[in-house]
Amino acid sequence: MTSRVGDIGSLVFERGRRGSVRRALVILLIVASLILYVAGKVSIVQLGYRIEALEREKKELERANRSLRIEASSLSAPARIEEIATKRMGMVRPPKENVVTVKRKAASAE
Amino acid sequence: MERRGRILAVLLVMVLGYAAVALRLVYLQVYQRAELTDRAERQQERLVRLDAKRGTIYDRIGRELAVSLDVDSVYGIPSRIRNPRETAQRLSRILHENARVLERKLDGDRHFVWLSRKVDPGQARKIKELDSNVIGLQAEPRRFYPKKTLAGPVLGFTGMDNAGLEGLERVYDKHLRGASGWVVAEKDALGRTVFPGGPGFQYRLPKAGHDLILTIDEVIQHIAEKEIDAMLVRSRARGGYGIVMDPRTGEVLALAVRTIGRTTQPFNPNDPQRSRPDEWRNRCVTDAFEPGSIFKPFLAAAAIEEKKVHPLERFDCSAGKIQVADRTIKDAHENGVLTFTDVMAQSSNVGTIKVALRLGRELFSKYIAAFGFGSKTGVDLPGEIPGLVKDHRLWSGVSIASIAIGQEIGVTPLQVASAYCALANGGVLMKPYIVSEIVDRGGRESRKFQPQVVGRAISEDTCEKVSKMLQRVVEAGTGDKARPAGYTAAGKTGTAQKIDQRTGSYSKKDYVSSFVGFVPANSPRLVILVMVDSPEGVVYGGSVAAPVFKTIAEQSLAYLQVTPDDVGGRMLLVTR
């Protein structure tokens, strides 16, 4: 009798334990899904911050590159080159007497 | 019973409380849904404008003449500023702007105000160092002209909002501007921008503006401007204009416009506020001048084409004057009997008028139109005028004589240069143009402009004869100072009296001195026009403008590696 009662008790107990385990598992699953979902969202936001930072860096680099190109273009202005050549380096335009034109003989005449 | 009553009362209160919350929820979620969603979006979302890059302007071989770069502008949030005076004073030291003006901007409850637009990188760095949450920086594109004053009036400039206001920037604004884009970004609790990505991510990418490739050559442009500047100093003139064109195509290789304004500094498109409108106006297309003797070759071309005269026919110019209707027109120098070629070489008014009277007004006006005078050239520059050419039926008795020597007619320098291109290329009038290509960075809508023939003005045979006459002007006539070393040249001098605005008659001291011609004479590669407005001292075109033509021609031909065709005995023949 005792054993039967004990059997029934353990059965009830087992049933109850299985139910709470299942319940715990379900809760765990829900919590895990929520954590995963939130983690995903956080990761997207963090990636967004990174993208923004990289975008900013890219923009700065592009701006620096363009600024250097403008500087190079400005430094290669013919007026500046001519001034350096004539004033700093003492270069002069060759007078007519010093120019000898070398004319290539036409192909047909060869 | 009493206890039960209390329980019921508490229950009722709770039910009513929950019901109130539920009703409020329904009210907010259902009735006010649209408005609240909208408000939330406004708070959480931010429309980030993505500015399109304005196209770059290049010269004919890809050297940058106008470029855009993002620079910082300074803004303030007046509604959050506690002490506008102190902030204004601090900013004034960095931005070099009036502290009172800044204080006025910062005083009030507005949420945004521009304090200084497009500041220098150094100023932007100092503003950043303030690390203020009420003063900030916003990047905006700014136009830079790296070659500074080079071709300033041709390129024009843009305004604060980046729209083209003058020159090519204005004419091609639609192509250069591009289309702005946007992206809907989210803001976090700290106001930082987050790009959400994923489905529903709304954006429109900006479309960059198209680039322009010009026919202008940076080096030839520099040569022309440098020589015009030097001449302005020598002659103390009010302005100088130089045009270099390729007569075979109508391409404008250089267009130099120099007007002496408040300062002697030429117009710099990087800083347009410092100049007055008349300093950046492109007078080569917007102003008409009486051309003077540089107009005579067109009469010669018309008379030879109509077989009314032969280049070697002799004319007696010994009287030095000629009576036409009620006016006596004189020669500047005494001449004897001259061939028609020498009439041009010595620029005799008497000989020219005799030929004009023989040609007649109808035929003469037909050729004036055929060379493009009286109508716009159609060049892609703003503000072009057609000049002033009267219908021949309205000419007075003296008009034919006046027009033959370049008076009573208004022409733009570009019209003259284009007409000389026709004399240089065998008689075909070409449409001048300054943009050779519009390039789409995406590569889809690129457009190339080809040389366009307007019409034939005269025959090749006549052209050859006129060209020989113009060579004589340079070899033994009034244009001997225009002869470039190593090259043959053909051209014509001009010295036109300006109209005195006060008296309405020809001025005794203000002239327009000019020289127009082409080099090398036998196989023309360049047409060069030099026009000097009101020189002081010596005023003759042969003395003021011809030497400028010579130096521009020598340097430009050497740069283009054109083989000299007039080198005397100093040419070596080598076999390779």
Side-chain angles (χ1 to χ4, degrees):
Chain A
M1 228 15 222
T2 316
S3 65
R4 272 184 71 189
V5 170
D7 283 351
I8 290 168
S10 70
L11 198 72
V12 170
F13 175 74
E14 266 176 33
R15 252 194 205 165
R17 205 172 61 176
R18 229 181 277 161
S20 30
V21 166
R22 213 176 287 160
R23 234 175 288 142
L25 273 175
V26 168
I27 290 168
L28 209 69
L29 207 70
I30 291 169
V31 170
S33 315
L34 279 173
I35 288 172
L36 274 176
Y37 176 76
V38 171
K41 275 281 176 190
V42 168
S43 158
I44 286 174
V45 169
Q46 276 175 345
L47 277 174
Y49 286 142
R50 248 201 84 218
I51 289 171
E52 200 212 340
L54 288 172
E55 281 282 346
R56 217 180 305 135
E57 196 184 331
K58 183 178 159 239
K59 244 184 173 175
E60 280 301 318
L61 288 172
E62 273 175 359
R63 199 202 288 204
N65 178 282
R66 236 172 142 68
S67 164
L68 287 170
R69 269 175 57 195
I70 291 175
E71 200 181 330
S73 178
S74 171
L75 292 172
S76 65
R80 183 179 170 273
I81 292 173
E82 189 172 13
E83 197 184 309
I84 292 172
T86 54
K87 290 189 180 158
R88 235 191 275 172
M89 301 171 82
M91 293 170 91
V92 289
R93 209 172 295 286
K96 190 192 170 189
E97 308 78 63
N98 293 352
V99 178
V100 177
T101 306
V102 180
K103 196 177 180 186
R104 193 186 302 166
K105 202 175 176 184
S108 56
E110 278 177 26
Chain B
M1 196 64 198
E2 200 179 297
R3 192 166 162 238
R4 195 186 160 103
R6 272 208 305 270
I7 289 170
L8 276 174
V10 169
L11 207 65
L12 195 70
V13 168
M14 280 177 72
V15 166
L16 282 175
Y18 278 115
V21 169
L23 279 173
R24 179 72 181 154
L25 212 62
V26 169
Y27 178 72
L28 292 176
Q29 292 281 0
V30 179
Y31 289 99
Q32 281 205 312
R33 183 190 154 84
E35 194 198 322
L36 290 175
T37 309
D38 195 40
R39 206 191 292 177
E41 275 174 4
R42 273 207 307 269
Q43 279 176 5
Q44 292 159 7
E45 288 182 356
R46 178 183 199 169
L47 192 73
V48 179
R49 193 185 136 122
L50 306 171
D51 278 316
K53 282 232 152 50
R54 192 172 174 86
T56 303
I57 302 179
Y58 298 98
D59 88 334
R60 64 186 295 118
I61 57 167
R63 290 170 289 209
E64 287 154 329
L65 299 176
V67 195
S68 284
L69 178 70
D70 277 350
V71 292
D72 289 311
S73 288
V74 186
Y75 67 87
I77 308 170
S79 57
R80 286 204 229 151
I81 293 173
R82 285 187 193 159
N83 191 342
R85 176 165 294 179
E86 192 195 311
T87 314
Q89 278 169 353
R90 210 165 0 134
L91 289 174
S92 160
R93 283 192 289 272
I94 299 171
L95 301 171
H96 308 299
E97 296 211 16
N98 191 317
R100 281 193 185 170
V101 176
L102 288 175
E103 190 187 333
R104 225 173 296 140
K105 284 181 183 176
L106 292 172
D107 203 7
D109 55 358
R110 280 185 293 170
H111 297 295
F112 182 91
V113 66
W114 282 121
L115 297 174
S116 189
R117 306 282 293 270
K118 300 175 183 180
V119 298
D120 291 339
Q123 291 174 321
R125 204 181 49 244
K126 283 180 190 164
I127 294 288
K128 223 178 262 176
E129 281 165 10
L130 290 177
D131 197 24
S132 163
N133 58 352
V134 290
I135 305 294
L137 293 168
Q138 172 74 41
E140 286 191 295
R142 178 178 161 183
R143 203 67 164 156
F144 282 93
Y145 302 89
K147 306 295 157 65
K148 299 181 177 81
T149 59
L150 191 95
V154 177
L155 298 174
F157 56 89
T158 59
M160 202 50 92
D161 57 354
N162 229 15
L165 297 182
E166 270 299 332
L168 291 172
E169 294 275 23
R170 179 171 150 195
V171 175
Y172 288 94
D173 188 51
K174 194 177 73 180
H175 299 279
L176 287 163
R177 200 192 307 151
S180 302
W182 48 262
V183 54
V184 179
E186 285 177 4
K187 275 194 291 187
D188 67 3
L190 295 172
R192 291 176 299 186
T193 306
V194 185
F195 291 101
F201 179 39
Q202 298 173 62
Y203 66 95
R204 191 181 80 188
L205 290 174
K207 200 163 172 269
H210 298 171
D211 294 338
L212 295 187
I213 297 176
L214 307 187
T215 59
I216 295 279
D217 187 298
E218 180 187 283
V219 174
I220 300 178
Q221 178 74 29
H222 163 67
I223 293 167
E225 288 184 356
K226 179 188 66 170
E227 295 304 331
I228 296 273
D229 284 342
M231 176 273 301
L232 285 181
V233 173
R234 280 196 305 271
S235 64
R236 297 187 298 281
R238 264 182 237 155
Y241 317 103
I243 300 176
V244 183
M245 286 179 72
D246 184 336
R248 300 166 299 181
T249 58
E251 287 171 298
V252 179
L253 302 175
L255 204 152
V257 183
R258 291 292 202 241
T259 310
I260 301 297
R262 281 177 296 189
T263 64
T264 50
Q265 286 296 310
F267 167 67
N268 184 348
N270 286 305
D271 204 0
Q273 297 91 338
R274 286 194 179 205
S275 304
R276 287 184 310 206
D278 59 329
E279 289 168 53
W280 68 61
R281 196 167 82 213
N282 192 339
R283 287 171 190 258
C284 284
V285 295
T286 61
D287 287 26
F289 297 86
E290 279 197 352
S293 298
I294 54 170
F295 201 71
K296 288 174 182 168
F298 305 111
L299 169 86
I304 293 170
E305 181 82 357
E306 292 295 327
K307 299 194 172 28
K308 300 284 184 191
V309 68
H310 188 274
L312 296 178
E313 189 179 336
R314 290 172 166 271
F315 290 88
D316 184 5
C317 306
S318 54
K321 58 184 179 184
I322 186 168
Q323 181 78 29
V324 185
D326 58 346
R327 192 176 156 205
T328 306
I329 298 171
K330 293 178 186 168
D331 272 337
H333 309 285
E334 267 185 32
N335 297 297
V337 177
L338 301 172
T339 62
F340 186 46
T341 300
D342 282 332
V343 164
M344 282 292 133
Q346 300 308 322
S347 201
S348 164
N349 290 338
V350 175
T352 308
I353 290 167
K354 283 184 176 178
V355 175
L357 293 172
R358 200 186 284 179
L359 180 67
R361 60 169 75 176
E362 267 181 52
L363 282 175
F364 189 21
S365 68
K366 182 184 119 187
Y367 284 94
I368 289 172
F371 276 106
F373 298 109
S375 31
K376 292 180 184 179
T377 64
V379 72
D380 34 358
L381 287 168
E384 191 190 15
I385 57 160
L388 301 158
V389 179
K390 269 196 286 186
D391 187 305
H392 70 87
R393 285 164 295 193
L394 303 173
W395 288 8
S396 69
V398 75
S399 290
I400 188 162
S402 301
I403 294 170
I405 60 170
Q407 294 179 341
E408 255 190 67
I409 186 168
V411 299
T412 66
L414 188 66
Q415 279 178 334
V416 178
S418 302
Y420 269 78
C421 283
L423 293 178
N425 70 14
V428 179
L429 186 68
M430 304 296 296
K431 180 184 168 185
Y433 66 107
I434 209 153
V435 172
S436 66
E437 201 176 342
I438 299 174
V439 183
D440 180 3
R441 287 182 207 215
R444 264 174 275 165
E445 292 169 49
S446 294
R447 234 171 102 191
K448 269 192 178 182
F449 297 95
Q450 301 297 333
Q452 273 184 56
V453 174
V454 178
R456 176 166 281 284
I458 47 166
S459 67
E460 270 188 56
D461 184 48
T462 304
C463 238
E464 208 172 299
K465 286 175 182 152
V466 176
S467 175
K468 290 258 160 30
M469 291 167 79
L470 295 180
Q471 275 188 64
R472 178 94 177 138
V473 175
V474 177
E475 283 161 11
T478 53
D480 59 339
K481 287 183 182 149
R483 192 174 182 173
Y487 297 95
T488 56
K492 184 73 193 78
T493 55
T495 313
Q497 286 172 286
K498 286 180 77 174
I499 303 279
D500 189 327
Q501 298 296 335
R502 283 170 303 166
T503 60
S505 58
Y506 283 110
S507 165
K508 291 269 190 296
K509 57 183 178 65
D510 281 343
Y511 293 83
V512 174
S513 310
S514 39
F515 189 92
V516 203
F518 41 91
V519 279
N522 298 318
S523 171
R525 288 286 304 274
L526 301 174
V527 160
I528 303 170
L529 170 142
V530 178
M531 219 174 232
V532 188
D533 184 5
S534 310
E536 285 182 14
V538 184
V539 295
Y540 292 113
S543 302
V544 181
V548 183
F549 173 94
K550 170 190 151 81
T551 48
I552 294 176
E554 282 172 357
Q555 293 170 51
S556 303
L557 290 170
Y559 163 70
L560 293 172
Q561 300 186 337
V562 176
T563 311
D565 64 341
D566 184 21
V567 288
R570 293 187 64 80
M571 188 184 280
L572 291 182
L573 198 65
V574 297
T575 314
R576 203 176 173 198

